[in-house]
Amino acid sequence: MQFFLPSRKTLSALYQASNVELPEGGAPLYESFAWTAQLGNALAAMDSQELSRVFKSPIVIWGITGSFSGAGVFIQVSHLHKGNKRTWYSNPRPLDSVAGPGSNPFLLVPTYAIAAGDTIQVEAKSVDRAAAQNVEIVLYANEVSA
């Protein structure tokens, strides 16, 4: 199986992950973490909120995208495995520095493996002092077939 992902070189270049980076087979998975007015949980001014997902099957995360509607958002992604918590960043990072726009995901090299039953938590912190923000973070992954 071949996976074609956008490259950072030019708009027309394509990145092809090797078999070492992504597993053979498995369905693509796009896991969205959203704080929006439509969902009733928009990120208020200077607020911090977390969303969590438990994965039923093993996956490999290979990319991340994000968007926000205000002055700025900082994020922290945490992986919980058998009671141990591992954060992706040493401290919360600006969303636009660790995630690509929807058309060009930021590629995780190396890819990040999640076991069945593990939890991913995404925490978003608003730096907008005046208004609520709509924020969405999407993890691009592939399920690992058994």
Side-chain angles (χ1 to χ4, degrees):
M1 176 178 271
Q2 293 180 343
F3 299 89
F4 294 95
L5 311 174
S7 172
R8 297 279 180 198
K9 294 177 187 170
T10 67
L11 293 176
S12 62
L14 291 177
Y15 169 79
Q16 180 178 351
S18 69
N19 289 336
V20 173
E21 294 178 60
L22 293 175
E24 290 290 329
L29 177 69
Y30 308 101
E31 195 63 42
S32 174
F33 297 82
W35 296 268
T36 65
Q38 292 85 0
L39 295 174
N41 68 340
L43 197 59
M46 302 303 292
D47 189 17
S48 176
Q49 294 183 24
E50 279 185 3
L51 289 175
S52 298
R53 300 284 189 281
V54 177
F55 293 92
K56 296 178 183 174
S57 61
I59 65 167
V60 173
I61 301 172
W62 55 263
I64 182 171
T65 62
S67 64
F68 55 91
S69 62
V73 173
F74 280 66
I75 69 162
Q76 179 62 272
V77 180
S78 301
H79 174 202
L80 288 94
H81 175 72
K82 296 184 179 179
N84 297 320
K85 184 175 184 178
R86 178 179 181 218
T87 57
W88 283 19
Y89 315 113
S90 58
N91 50 0
R93 304 284 304 152
L95 178 59
D96 53 359
S97 74
V98 296
S103 61
N104 194 11
F106 181 80
L107 303 175
L108 301 179
V109 179
T111 55
Y112 196 87
I114 304 291
D118 284 4
T119 301
I120 289 287
Q121 286 181 336
V122 176
E123 179 183 11
K125 296 180 178 189
S126 174
V127 295
D128 193 323
R129 295 182 182 274
Q133 298 191 70
N134 293 319
V135 179
E136 185 175 20
I137 298 160
V138 179
L139 298 179
Y140 288 70
N142 281 75
E143 291 183 350
V144 178
S145 56

